[in-house]
Short mmCIF file of all heavy atoms in Angstrom, two decimals:
data_model
loop_
_atom_site.label_atom_id
_atom_site.label_comp_id
_atom_site.label_asym_id
_atom_site.label_seq_id
_atom_site.Cartn_x
_atom_site.Cartn_y
_atom_site.Cartn_z
N MET A 1 19.50 7.20 -8.92
CA MET A 1 18.16 7.84 -9.04
C MET A 1 17.91 8.60 -7.68
O MET A 1 18.07 8.03 -6.69
CB MET A 1 17.19 6.83 -9.35
CG MET A 1 15.85 7.32 -9.43
SD MET A 1 14.54 6.16 -9.79
CE MET A 1 15.06 5.57 -11.42
N LEU A 2 17.44 9.78 -7.86
CA LEU A 2 17.20 10.61 -6.74
C LEU A 2 16.07 10.02 -5.80
O LEU A 2 16.21 10.07 -4.62
CB LEU A 2 16.75 12.04 -7.17
CG LEU A 2 16.51 13.06 -6.10
CD1 LEU A 2 17.78 13.30 -5.32
CD2 LEU A 2 15.94 14.35 -6.63
N GLY A 3 15.10 9.40 -6.43
CA GLY A 3 14.02 8.81 -5.63
C GLY A 3 14.54 7.74 -4.68
O GLY A 3 14.12 7.72 -3.52
N CYS A 4 15.39 6.84 -5.21
CA CYS A 4 15.88 5.78 -4.31
C CYS A 4 16.88 6.36 -3.33
O CYS A 4 16.98 5.90 -2.13
CB CYS A 4 16.65 4.76 -5.18
SG CYS A 4 15.51 3.68 -6.14
N GLY A 5 17.59 7.39 -3.69
CA GLY A 5 18.53 8.02 -2.78
C GLY A 5 17.88 8.66 -1.64
O GLY A 5 18.35 8.73 -0.54
N LEU A 6 16.66 9.09 -1.81
CA LEU A 6 15.91 9.70 -0.65
C LEU A 6 15.15 8.57 0.09
O LEU A 6 15.04 8.67 1.28
CB LEU A 6 14.89 10.71 -1.22
CG LEU A 6 15.42 11.97 -1.80
CD1 LEU A 6 14.31 12.78 -2.46
CD2 LEU A 6 16.14 12.74 -0.71
N TYR A 7 14.66 7.58 -0.58
CA TYR A 7 13.87 6.60 0.08
C TYR A 7 14.70 5.57 0.97
O TYR A 7 14.20 5.23 2.01
CB TYR A 7 13.11 5.73 -1.04
CG TYR A 7 12.20 4.78 -0.40
CD1 TYR A 7 11.00 5.13 0.11
CD2 TYR A 7 12.49 3.38 -0.27
CE1 TYR A 7 10.10 4.25 0.72
CE2 TYR A 7 11.67 2.51 0.26
CZ TYR A 7 10.47 2.87 0.81
OH TYR A 7 9.59 2.02 1.42
N ILE A 8 15.84 5.22 0.48
CA ILE A 8 16.66 4.26 1.29
C ILE A 8 16.93 4.76 2.72
O ILE A 8 16.71 4.00 3.67
CB ILE A 8 17.99 3.92 0.49
CG1 ILE A 8 17.62 3.07 -0.69
CG2 ILE A 8 18.98 3.16 1.40
CD1 ILE A 8 18.79 2.84 -1.57
N PRO A 9 17.51 6.00 2.90
CA PRO A 9 17.77 6.36 4.28
C PRO A 9 16.46 6.59 5.17
O PRO A 9 16.47 6.38 6.38
CB PRO A 9 18.52 7.62 4.21
CG PRO A 9 18.40 8.10 2.74
CD PRO A 9 18.04 6.91 1.92
N LEU A 10 15.36 6.98 4.46
CA LEU A 10 14.13 7.19 5.19
C LEU A 10 13.58 5.79 5.63
O LEU A 10 13.09 5.64 6.78
CB LEU A 10 13.06 7.87 4.28
CG LEU A 10 13.37 9.39 4.05
CD1 LEU A 10 12.28 9.91 3.03
CD2 LEU A 10 13.39 10.08 5.37
N ALA A 11 13.63 4.81 4.79
CA ALA A 11 13.19 3.45 5.14
C ALA A 11 14.04 2.91 6.30
O ALA A 11 13.45 2.21 7.22
CB ALA A 11 13.17 2.55 3.96
N ALA A 12 15.32 3.08 6.22
CA ALA A 12 16.19 2.57 7.21
C ALA A 12 15.95 3.22 8.57
O ALA A 12 16.04 2.70 9.66
CB ALA A 12 17.68 2.75 6.77
N ALA A 13 15.84 4.52 8.50
CA ALA A 13 15.59 5.37 9.72
C ALA A 13 14.35 4.97 10.37
O ALA A 13 14.25 4.75 11.57
CB ALA A 13 15.58 6.84 9.37
N VAL A 14 13.25 4.79 9.66
CA VAL A 14 11.92 4.44 10.19
C VAL A 14 12.08 3.03 10.88
O VAL A 14 11.59 2.79 12.02
CB VAL A 14 10.78 4.43 9.19
CG1 VAL A 14 9.56 3.81 9.62
CG2 VAL A 14 10.59 5.89 8.73
N ALA A 15 12.65 2.12 10.08
CA ALA A 15 12.83 0.73 10.72
C ALA A 15 13.69 0.79 12.01
O ALA A 15 13.37 0.11 12.92
CB ALA A 15 13.48 -0.19 9.64
N GLY A 16 14.77 1.50 11.95
CA GLY A 16 15.65 1.65 13.14
C GLY A 16 15.04 2.30 14.36
O GLY A 16 15.23 1.89 15.38
N LEU A 17 14.28 3.34 14.08
CA LEU A 17 13.64 4.06 15.13
C LEU A 17 12.45 3.22 15.82
O LEU A 17 12.14 3.52 16.94
CB LEU A 17 13.11 5.40 14.68
CG LEU A 17 14.22 6.47 14.42
CD1 LEU A 17 13.60 7.69 13.77
CD2 LEU A 17 14.98 6.75 15.68
N ASN A 18 11.95 2.27 15.09
CA ASN A 18 10.91 1.47 15.55
C ASN A 18 11.44 0.17 16.34
O ASN A 18 10.67 -0.62 16.82
CB ASN A 18 9.92 0.97 14.48
CG ASN A 18 9.11 2.13 13.95
OD1 ASN A 18 8.75 2.93 14.78
ND2 ASN A 18 8.72 2.05 12.78
N ALA A 19 12.71 0.04 16.41
CA ALA A 19 13.27 -1.13 17.04
C ALA A 19 13.21 -1.00 18.55
O ALA A 19 13.56 0.03 19.19
CB ALA A 19 14.78 -1.30 16.72
N ARG A 20 12.64 -2.05 19.17
CA ARG A 20 12.50 -2.03 20.65
C ARG A 20 12.83 -3.48 21.05
O ARG A 20 12.40 -4.44 20.57
CB ARG A 20 11.05 -1.72 21.07
CG ARG A 20 10.56 -0.37 20.64
CD ARG A 20 11.11 0.73 21.55
NE ARG A 20 10.46 2.01 21.26
CZ ARG A 20 11.05 2.84 20.52
NH1 ARG A 20 12.13 2.71 19.91
NH2 ARG A 20 10.42 4.07 20.27
N GLY A 21 13.62 -3.57 22.19
CA GLY A 21 13.85 -4.83 22.83
C GLY A 21 15.23 -5.47 22.74
O GLY A 21 15.39 -6.70 22.84
N GLY A 22 16.25 -4.70 22.47
CA GLY A 22 17.54 -5.13 22.54
C GLY A 22 18.17 -5.49 21.19
O GLY A 22 17.70 -5.08 20.14
N ALA A 23 19.27 -6.32 21.29
CA ALA A 23 20.03 -6.59 20.06
C ALA A 23 19.24 -7.42 19.00
O ALA A 23 19.43 -7.16 17.84
CB ALA A 23 21.31 -7.36 20.40
N GLU A 24 18.31 -8.31 19.46
CA GLU A 24 17.61 -9.08 18.49
C GLU A 24 16.63 -8.22 17.73
O GLU A 24 16.48 -8.39 16.56
CB GLU A 24 16.83 -10.15 19.28
CG GLU A 24 16.08 -11.08 18.33
CD GLU A 24 15.34 -12.16 19.08
OE1 GLU A 24 15.79 -12.52 20.17
OE2 GLU A 24 14.41 -12.78 18.48
N ALA A 25 16.03 -7.19 18.43
CA ALA A 25 15.09 -6.25 17.78
C ALA A 25 15.93 -5.40 16.74
O ALA A 25 15.32 -5.06 15.73
CB ALA A 25 14.41 -5.48 18.78
N VAL A 26 17.13 -5.03 17.12
CA VAL A 26 17.94 -4.19 16.18
C VAL A 26 18.24 -4.94 14.92
O VAL A 26 18.16 -4.43 13.81
CB VAL A 26 19.19 -3.73 16.84
CG1 VAL A 26 20.04 -3.04 15.85
CG2 VAL A 26 18.86 -2.74 17.99
N GLY A 27 18.57 -6.30 15.10
CA GLY A 27 18.89 -7.10 13.93
C GLY A 27 17.66 -7.27 13.07
O GLY A 27 17.72 -7.24 11.80
N GLU A 28 16.43 -7.46 13.62
CA GLU A 28 15.19 -7.63 12.90
C GLU A 28 14.88 -6.28 12.26
O GLU A 28 14.40 -6.26 11.07
CB GLU A 28 14.05 -8.07 13.76
CG GLU A 28 12.82 -8.42 13.16
CD GLU A 28 11.73 -8.91 14.13
OE1 GLU A 28 12.14 -9.49 15.08
OE2 GLU A 28 10.52 -8.72 13.74
N ALA A 29 15.07 -5.14 12.90
CA ALA A 29 14.78 -3.89 12.27
C ALA A 29 15.74 -3.57 11.07
O ALA A 29 15.30 -3.01 10.11
CB ALA A 29 14.94 -2.83 13.31
N THR A 30 17.01 -4.11 11.17
CA THR A 30 17.87 -3.88 10.13
C THR A 30 17.49 -4.67 8.88
O THR A 30 17.43 -4.19 7.76
CB THR A 30 19.36 -4.34 10.47
OG1 THR A 30 19.73 -3.59 11.58
CG2 THR A 30 20.27 -4.15 9.30
N THR A 31 17.05 -5.90 9.19
CA THR A 31 16.49 -6.73 8.04
C THR A 31 15.25 -6.11 7.42
O THR A 31 15.13 -6.05 6.14
CB THR A 31 16.12 -8.22 8.61
OG1 THR A 31 17.33 -8.69 9.10
CG2 THR A 31 15.68 -8.97 7.42
N ASN A 32 14.37 -5.59 8.30
CA ASN A 32 13.09 -5.05 7.77
C ASN A 32 13.44 -3.74 7.00
O ASN A 32 12.84 -3.44 5.95
CB ASN A 32 12.24 -4.66 8.94
CG ASN A 32 11.60 -5.90 9.55
OD1 ASN A 32 11.60 -6.96 8.92
ND2 ASN A 32 11.10 -5.78 10.73
N GLY A 33 14.43 -2.96 7.49
CA GLY A 33 14.85 -1.79 6.66
C GLY A 33 15.47 -2.09 5.36
O GLY A 33 15.12 -1.38 4.32
N VAL A 34 16.27 -3.09 5.25
CA VAL A 34 16.89 -3.51 3.95
C VAL A 34 15.77 -3.98 3.03
O VAL A 34 15.76 -3.61 1.87
CB VAL A 34 17.98 -4.55 4.17
CG1 VAL A 34 18.37 -5.12 2.87
CG2 VAL A 34 19.15 -3.97 4.90
N VAL A 35 14.87 -4.76 3.51
CA VAL A 35 13.73 -5.29 2.64
C VAL A 35 12.88 -4.17 2.13
O VAL A 35 12.53 -4.05 0.99
CB VAL A 35 12.94 -6.36 3.40
CG1 VAL A 35 11.68 -6.69 2.65
CG2 VAL A 35 13.83 -7.68 3.63
N ALA A 36 12.58 -3.24 3.06
CA ALA A 36 11.67 -2.09 2.68
C ALA A 36 12.38 -1.22 1.68
O ALA A 36 11.79 -0.74 0.72
CB ALA A 36 11.27 -1.26 3.96
N ALA A 37 13.70 -1.02 1.81
CA ALA A 37 14.44 -0.18 0.93
C ALA A 37 14.56 -0.82 -0.41
O ALA A 37 14.37 -0.13 -1.56
CB ALA A 37 15.84 0.16 1.50
N SER A 38 14.82 -2.09 -0.41
CA SER A 38 14.97 -2.82 -1.70
C SER A 38 13.63 -2.84 -2.50
O SER A 38 13.58 -2.48 -3.71
CB SER A 38 15.39 -4.26 -1.50
OG SER A 38 16.64 -4.21 -0.84
N LEU A 39 12.55 -3.22 -1.82
CA LEU A 39 11.26 -3.22 -2.50
C LEU A 39 10.82 -1.75 -2.91
O LEU A 39 10.21 -1.64 -3.98
CB LEU A 39 10.20 -3.86 -1.63
CG LEU A 39 10.32 -5.36 -1.40
CD1 LEU A 39 9.31 -5.87 -0.42
CD2 LEU A 39 10.24 -6.10 -2.65
N GLY A 40 11.10 -0.83 -2.11
CA GLY A 40 10.74 0.54 -2.44
C GLY A 40 11.45 1.04 -3.64
O GLY A 40 10.89 1.69 -4.50
N CYS A 41 12.76 0.74 -3.80
CA CYS A 41 13.56 1.12 -4.89
C CYS A 41 13.06 0.39 -6.26
O CYS A 41 12.99 1.02 -7.27
CB CYS A 41 15.01 0.86 -4.72
SG CYS A 41 15.82 2.06 -3.80
N LEU A 42 12.67 -0.86 -6.06
CA LEU A 42 12.12 -1.54 -7.22
C LEU A 42 10.81 -0.94 -7.69
O LEU A 42 10.59 -0.68 -8.91
CB LEU A 42 11.90 -3.02 -6.89
CG LEU A 42 13.15 -3.92 -6.80
CD1 LEU A 42 12.80 -5.25 -6.31
CD2 LEU A 42 13.77 -3.98 -8.17
N LEU A 43 9.97 -0.60 -6.71
CA LEU A 43 8.67 0.11 -7.10
C LEU A 43 8.94 1.47 -7.65
O LEU A 43 8.19 1.88 -8.64
CB LEU A 43 7.78 0.17 -5.87
CG LEU A 43 7.20 -1.21 -5.43
CD1 LEU A 43 6.47 -0.98 -4.08
CD2 LEU A 43 6.34 -1.81 -6.44
N ILE A 44 9.86 2.22 -7.11
CA ILE A 44 10.18 3.56 -7.62
C ILE A 44 10.74 3.43 -9.06
O ILE A 44 10.25 4.15 -9.95
CB ILE A 44 11.19 4.34 -6.77
CG1 ILE A 44 10.53 4.73 -5.47
CG2 ILE A 44 11.75 5.56 -7.46
CD1 ILE A 44 11.47 5.23 -4.42
N ASP A 45 11.64 2.47 -9.28
CA ASP A 45 12.15 2.31 -10.64
C ASP A 45 11.07 1.78 -11.60
O ASP A 45 11.04 2.27 -12.80
CB ASP A 45 13.24 1.18 -10.51
CG ASP A 45 14.03 1.08 -11.82
OD1 ASP A 45 14.26 2.11 -12.49
OD2 ASP A 45 14.37 -0.05 -12.24
N LEU A 46 10.18 0.93 -11.19
CA LEU A 46 9.07 0.54 -12.06
C LEU A 46 8.23 1.72 -12.45
O LEU A 46 7.80 1.88 -13.57
CB LEU A 46 8.25 -0.60 -11.32
CG LEU A 46 6.99 -1.04 -12.12
CD1 LEU A 46 7.37 -1.78 -13.38
CD2 LEU A 46 6.14 -1.78 -11.16
N THR A 47 7.85 2.53 -11.39
CA THR A 47 7.03 3.68 -11.74
C THR A 47 7.71 4.65 -12.72
O THR A 47 7.01 5.07 -13.65
CB THR A 47 6.71 4.44 -10.39
OG1 THR A 47 6.14 3.49 -9.47
CG2 THR A 47 5.78 5.57 -10.58
N VAL A 48 8.97 4.93 -12.58
CA VAL A 48 9.66 5.82 -13.40
C VAL A 48 9.81 5.20 -14.79
O VAL A 48 9.61 5.88 -15.79
CB VAL A 48 11.03 6.15 -12.80
CG1 VAL A 48 11.92 6.94 -13.91
CG2 VAL A 48 10.91 7.06 -11.60
N SER A 49 10.03 3.97 -14.90
CA SER A 49 10.13 3.22 -16.17
C SER A 49 8.89 3.26 -16.91
O SER A 49 8.79 3.52 -18.11
CB SER A 49 10.55 1.80 -15.99
OG SER A 49 11.92 1.66 -15.44
N LEU A 50 7.74 3.02 -16.18
CA LEU A 50 6.41 3.10 -16.88
C LEU A 50 6.08 4.48 -17.31
O LEU A 50 5.50 4.66 -18.43
CB LEU A 50 5.38 2.45 -15.97
CG LEU A 50 5.41 0.97 -15.66
CD1 LEU A 50 4.33 0.62 -14.65
CD2 LEU A 50 5.14 0.24 -17.03
N ALA A 51 6.45 5.42 -16.53
CA ALA A 51 6.12 6.84 -16.88
C ALA A 51 6.91 7.19 -18.18
O ALA A 51 6.34 7.75 -19.07
CB ALA A 51 6.53 7.77 -15.72
N PHE A 52 8.15 6.89 -18.23
CA PHE A 52 8.97 7.09 -19.42
C PHE A 52 8.45 6.34 -20.63
O PHE A 52 8.49 6.75 -21.82
CB PHE A 52 10.43 6.82 -19.23
CG PHE A 52 11.17 7.94 -18.52
CD1 PHE A 52 11.77 7.84 -17.35
CD2 PHE A 52 11.18 9.23 -19.03
CE1 PHE A 52 12.47 8.77 -16.68
CE2 PHE A 52 11.87 10.25 -18.43
CZ PHE A 52 12.49 10.05 -17.19
N GLN A 53 7.97 5.11 -20.42
CA GLN A 53 7.37 4.28 -21.45
C GLN A 53 6.18 4.96 -22.04
O GLN A 53 5.97 5.04 -23.26
CB GLN A 53 7.10 2.91 -20.93
CG GLN A 53 6.67 1.93 -22.01
CD GLN A 53 7.73 1.55 -22.96
OE1 GLN A 53 8.93 1.61 -22.61
NE2 GLN A 53 7.43 1.22 -24.17
N PHE A 54 5.28 5.48 -21.19
CA PHE A 54 4.10 6.16 -21.63
C PHE A 54 4.32 7.40 -22.39
O PHE A 54 3.71 7.87 -23.29
CB PHE A 54 3.07 6.40 -20.45
CG PHE A 54 2.46 5.10 -20.07
CD1 PHE A 54 2.40 4.82 -18.67
CD2 PHE A 54 1.81 4.31 -20.96
CE1 PHE A 54 1.85 3.62 -18.28
CE2 PHE A 54 1.17 3.16 -20.54
CZ PHE A 54 1.18 2.75 -19.16
N VAL A 55 5.42 8.18 -21.91
CA VAL A 55 5.78 9.41 -22.47
C VAL A 55 6.59 9.20 -23.83
O VAL A 55 6.72 10.09 -24.64
CB VAL A 55 6.58 10.30 -21.46
CG1 VAL A 55 6.96 11.64 -22.14
CG2 VAL A 55 5.62 10.60 -20.34
N ARG A 56 7.21 7.99 -23.88
CA ARG A 56 8.06 7.63 -25.03
C ARG A 56 9.27 8.50 -25.06
O ARG A 56 9.72 8.98 -26.13
CB ARG A 56 7.32 7.68 -26.38
CG ARG A 56 6.08 6.89 -26.41
CD ARG A 56 6.34 5.69 -27.23
NE ARG A 56 5.04 4.97 -27.43
CZ ARG A 56 4.92 3.70 -27.20
NH1 ARG A 56 5.93 3.02 -26.72
NH2 ARG A 56 3.75 3.12 -27.33
N LEU A 57 9.98 8.69 -23.94
CA LEU A 57 11.19 9.48 -23.96
C LEU A 57 12.39 8.49 -24.11
O LEU A 57 12.55 7.43 -23.72
CB LEU A 57 11.47 10.23 -22.66
CG LEU A 57 10.47 11.41 -22.49
CD1 LEU A 57 10.66 12.03 -21.12
CD2 LEU A 57 10.71 12.37 -23.57
#
């Protein structure tokens, strides 16, 4: 899905660019990026599914 394909690198980049404080901060930023990308994709998928359900396609 195009929405997830755009959202995953953006979430990862934002989390990575906000990392400050060495290796531990990079590990935490990686975890935060993965969690944000996963939840974002689930929400995008839910939104698209509901939209198609209402349109009945």
Side-chain angles (χ1 to χ4, degrees):
M1 176 181 300
L2 182 64
C4 287
L6 292 174
Y7 184 75
I8 290 171
L10 289 176
V14 168
L17 290 173
N18 287 329
R20 300 281 186 264
E24 185 178 339
V26 171
E28 187 175 332
T30 302
T31 303
N32 290 340
V34 170
V35 170
S38 298
L39 290 177
C41 279
L42 285 173
L43 290 175
I44 290 169
D45 188 40
L46 174 68
T47 304
V48 171
S49 297
L50 288 175
F52 278 120
Q53 186 69 26
F54 286 129
V55 177
R56 302 256 188 232
L57 290 177

